[in-house]
Amino acid sequence: MGSSEPAARGADSRTVADLTEDELIASFLPLLPVGRHVLVPSGDDAAVVAAPDGRFCVSTDVLVQDHHFRLGWGDAADVGWRAAMQNLADVAAMGARPTTVVVALVLPRRTPVSWVQDLARGLGEACAPHGVGVDGGDLSAGEQIVVAVTVHGDLGGRHPVLRSGARPGDVLAHCGDLGHAAAGLALLTGGRHEPAELVGRFLRPQPPLEAGPRAARSGATAMMDVSDGLLRDAGRLARASGVVLDLDPLGRSVPEVLAALEPAARTLGDDATRWALIGGEDHGMLATFPPDADVPAGFRVLGRVCHADGADAGAVLLQGRPVRTEGWDHFHR
Amino acid sequence: MGSSEPAARGADSRTVADLTEDELIASFLPLLPVGRHVLVPSGDDAAVVAAPDGRFCVSTDVLVQDHHFRLGWGDAADVGWRAAMQNLADVAAMGARPTTVVVALVLPRRTPVSWVQDLARGLGEACAPHGVGVDGGDLSAGEQIVVAVTVHGDLGGRHPVLRSGARPGDVLAHCGDLGHAAAGLALLTGGRHEPAELVGRFLRPQPPLEAGPRAARSGATAMMDVSDGLLRDAGRLARASGVVLDLDPLGRSVPEVLAALEPAARTLGDDATRWALIGGEDHGMLATFPPDADVPAGFRVLGRVCHADGADAGAVLLQGRPVRTEGWDHFHR
């Protein structure tokens, strides 16, 4: 647990320094899915990918060892899964279907080859069920592991659903986990691996990728994925749209969420509600819908969009009172 | 020279740890061009980019501090330029025009804010003249600087030009620098900053991006950019196409290349021909054309494509004899 050295799996003790770059690539390439949208696969100067919509969505996210993941918390396949899934969620949150990812990978020379293979396996497990390929990449040596994933998606003729489209009167709703990854992280930090369900939700978040395009088809006016916690990301959506978000029915709509978190919260002396409100990395879909729209299946109504009176644009209200929407910061301490 | 700490520029001594992530982004965002192909700019969950061709080319390349660049060799703007340009060359080598890049950036907390601003300026200087935007990105703290760029291009209705299309009888030609970046690197490694022209070609390579689509329109049968040296990359093209490449007219076609390198070679006691043959990072376009095609302006004929007799597929001949086509490797030592 918590080692800063990537562990080899099984009897294979080779490190990446024992192989040429071509041999290393050959060791994991069969584990990566070729996307169903790819026209020219990786191996040339660039891949060529279909964009039947005439547009593509693109987003990039980087995971850094000891910042976004620790060796010893889960395995390399979990790192690959998370790296892929948090990116897939970004294009889903535009209302798009993910089509392809490319991956830039920095590896210390002492990294076991089996660790890289497991990473590839996790990337594939996240991508393949959605028809998404790992269709390009680059490798470099470096001092710590860095996994930079760039994801692409197709809008299927729909308008992209931006953060800025929420209008007063709209309904605010959410689909997916809330606080589960934060609970899992708290358990791991406390040296616990149970309940396995919650630990698993941190190691392998389960964003409802289908909910993004479904919300777009239902007329969602604004959408984003919740990566930094409900309050912080609700604040971003509120600021982008120039509205106030009143998390009014929250208490009525999330009891089953809290019930799933309560046992772990009691064990750790922590607060399930706090996890649900400020816990990040679940990558659920937070969306607003016109008052007369049918909120699509799987979405839980969390509140409503209110008119902003100038200075309070961007505010998030909980039980009628504005709450802090800041959160964790990568650099600032 | 050669410091492992990024130097601050001028009077601004703030580091990235002194700013919030939002403040840091605000400090360099105005320096980044918005692409003319972007429909939804960065700032939402994903950017949306036009793909009028109904396909897009995508490639990713990563630069790591002390592996691909050293602080003290040039400045951060040079790092940004190189990170962008080597990617832009990848899509040009498919015959496409680059449209947009996204950038994942890992920064130690002690990195000066002015260093990040200079990096952004260099990215912009490479991209903006080609109408390419820096239309998305991600930031993380980490132990060493990592710049991962993903580039996209539009084929404009043309077939992508692959490495695998060279046919016996075709003409082999090259457009761009050969050995200039290697000479510049050798000068810097030797503690020299003159001739500035050659040092500059290492710090800011000048790939002939227009030559890629031009070669495609002229009927190029195969193409790639030369990033790892002429012999090594010619070997890759030969293997992908299952042919032999005879670099026969090389001696007649590159004297002006060698003339530009000779003074530096004499100074360092090095060999200009070696630089031209195995020096990488110039990112010129290596292409093959049918025997009856007009080799487009700017391309220099270097040899011809020969039939492979089974076992010699992938061979590269110099003065009639096969040469080694292996080169430097990131991991293997």
Side-chain angles (χ1 to χ4, degrees):
Chain A
M1 275 296 296
S3 160
S4 67
E5 292 289 317
R9 174 175 45 79
D12 184 353
S13 61
R14 293 173 305 163
T15 72
V16 299
D18 296 323
L19 274 62
T20 66
E21 192 170 337
D22 286 347
E23 288 167 348
L24 179 59
I25 293 170
S27 79
F28 64 72
L29 203 60
L31 302 169
L32 296 175
V34 175
R36 73 163 87 108
H37 310 274
V38 77
L39 304 170
V40 175
S42 77
D44 221 289
D45 291 86
V48 182
V49 179
D53 177 86
R55 302 167 292 176
F56 62 90
C57 295
V58 57
S59 179
T60 193
D61 260 328
V62 62
L63 295 188
V64 179
Q65 177 184 350
D66 298 330
H67 291 262
H68 300 90
F69 64 92
R70 287 183 197 281
L71 302 170
W73 286 0
D75 59 18
D78 297 329
V79 175
W81 175 281
R82 274 184 66 203
M85 211 45 106
Q86 69 180 41
N87 271 280
L88 300 183
D90 279 326
V91 300
M94 300 297 282
R97 288 189 188 286
T99 55
T100 191
V101 301
V102 297
V103 181
L105 192 56
V106 179
L107 298 169
R109 289 198 168 84
R110 62 184 178 273
T111 309
V113 171
S114 64
W115 196 95
V116 187
Q117 291 172 318
D118 286 343
L119 180 85
R121 192 172 290 117
L123 284 166
E125 286 167 355
C127 290
H130 304 284
V132 173
V134 181
D135 295 313
D138 191 30
L139 285 174
S140 173
E143 305 312 312
Q144 68 186 152
I145 299 171
V146 175
V147 188
V149 176
T150 303
V151 65
H152 307 84
D154 190 85
L155 285 159
R158 294 179 294 277
H159 286 295
V161 185
L162 308 186
R163 298 178 178 186
S164 52
R167 294 293 167 258
D170 285 354
V171 171
L172 179 71
H174 178 271
C175 180
D177 292 337
L178 268 181
H180 294 63
L185 175 59
L187 289 163
L188 282 171
T189 308
R192 294 167 192 273
H193 288 74
E194 301 288 338
E197 162 76 6
L198 288 177
V199 171
R201 287 303 168 105
F202 172 71
L203 297 175
R204 295 207 173 200
Q206 307 281 342
L209 299 179
E210 292 294 323
R214 197 160 69 237
R217 284 195 302 272
S218 296
T221 49
M223 185 155 54
M224 67 186 299
D225 85 301
V226 178
S227 32
D228 294 330
L230 177 61
L231 293 185
R232 190 177 190 193
D233 285 332
R236 288 178 170 143
L237 194 148
R239 282 194 294 280
S241 294
V243 297
V244 171
L245 293 179
D246 184 1
L247 300 187
D248 168 30
L250 182 69
R252 275 172 288 146
S253 55
V254 299
E256 80 275 22
V257 171
L258 298 182
L261 304 176
E262 281 296 357
R266 274 197 301 275
T267 301
L268 295 170
D270 213 320
D271 180 352
T273 306
R274 197 182 69 86
W275 284 337
L277 289 174
I278 71 170
E281 313 209 4
D282 289 313
H283 304 289
M285 299 291 137
L286 182 67
T288 57
F289 298 91
D292 55 348
D294 286 330
V295 173
F299 278 83
R300 207 178 271 126
V301 174
L302 293 189
R304 61 203 173 88
V305 181
C306 303
H307 181 74
D309 200 8
D312 63 349
V316 176
L317 309 181
L318 203 57
Q319 296 174 320
R321 274 183 290 198
V323 289
R324 277 171 55 92
T325 58
E326 292 92 53
W328 185 77
D329 198 281
H330 280 290
F331 295 103
H332 198 57
R333 286 185 295 196
Chain B
M1 273 299 297
S3 161
S4 66
E5 293 288 317
R9 175 175 46 79
D12 184 352
S13 61
R14 294 173 305 163
T15 71
V16 299
D18 295 323
L19 273 61
T20 66
E21 191 169 338
D22 286 347
E23 288 166 347
L24 179 59
I25 292 170
S27 79
F28 64 71
L29 203 60
L31 302 169
L32 297 174
V34 176
R36 73 163 86 110
H37 310 274
V38 77
L39 304 169
V40 175
S42 79
D44 222 288
D45 291 87
V48 182
V49 180
D53 177 86
R55 303 167 293 176
F56 62 90
C57 295
V58 57
S59 178
T60 194
D61 260 327
V62 62
L63 294 188
V64 179
Q65 177 184 351
D66 298 330
H67 292 263
H68 300 89
F69 63 91
R70 288 183 195 281
L71 301 169
W73 287 359
D75 59 18
D78 296 330
V79 175
W81 174 282
R82 273 184 66 203
M85 212 45 106
Q86 69 180 40
N87 271 281
L88 300 182
D90 279 326
V91 300
M94 301 296 283
R97 289 190 187 286
T99 55
T100 190
V101 301
V102 297
V103 181
L105 192 56
V106 179
L107 298 169
R109 288 198 170 83
R110 63 183 178 274
T111 310
V113 172
S114 63
W115 196 95
V116 187
Q117 292 171 318
D118 286 343
L119 181 84
R121 191 172 293 117
L123 285 166
E125 286 167 354
C127 290
H130 305 283
V132 173
V134 181
D135 295 313
D138 192 29
L139 284 174
S140 174
E143 305 312 312
Q144 66 186 152
I145 298 171
V146 176
V147 188
V149 176
T150 304
V151 65
H152 306 83
D154 191 85
L155 286 160
R158 294 179 294 277
H159 287 295
V161 185
L162 308 185
R163 298 177 178 187
S164 51
R167 294 292 166 260
D170 285 355
V171 171
L172 178 71
H174 178 271
C175 179
D177 292 338
L178 268 182
H180 294 62
L185 175 59
L187 289 164
L188 282 170
T189 308
R192 293 168 193 272
H193 288 74
E194 302 288 338
E197 162 77 8
L198 288 177
V199 171
R201 287 302 169 106
F202 171 71
L203 297 175
R204 296 207 171 199
Q206 307 282 342
L209 299 178
E210 292 296 320
R214 196 162 69 234
R217 284 195 302 272
S218 296
T221 50
M223 186 157 51
M224 67 184 300
D225 85 300
V226 178
S227 34
D228 294 330
L230 176 62
L231 292 185
R232 190 177 190 193
D233 285 331
R236 289 179 170 141
L237 195 150
R239 283 193 295 280
S241 296
V243 297
V244 171
L245 292 180
D246 184 1
L247 300 188
D248 168 31
L250 183 69
R252 274 171 289 145
S253 55
V254 299
E256 80 276 22
V257 170
L258 298 182
L261 304 177
E262 282 296 356
R266 274 196 301 274
T267 302
L268 296 170
D270 213 321
D271 180 353
T273 306
R274 198 183 67 87
W275 284 337
L277 289 174
I278 71 170
E281 312 208 6
D282 288 313
H283 304 290
M285 299 291 138
L286 182 67
T288 57
F289 298 91
D292 55 348
D294 286 329
V295 173
F299 278 82
R300 204 179 272 126
V301 174
L302 293 189
R304 62 203 172 89
V305 181
C306 303
H307 181 74
D309 198 10
D312 64 350
V316 175
L317 309 181
L318 202 58
Q319 296 174 320
R321 274 182 291 197
V323 289
R324 277 171 55 91
T325 58
E326 291 93 51
W328 186 76
D329 197 280
H330 279 290
F331 295 104
H332 198 57
R333 286 185 295 197

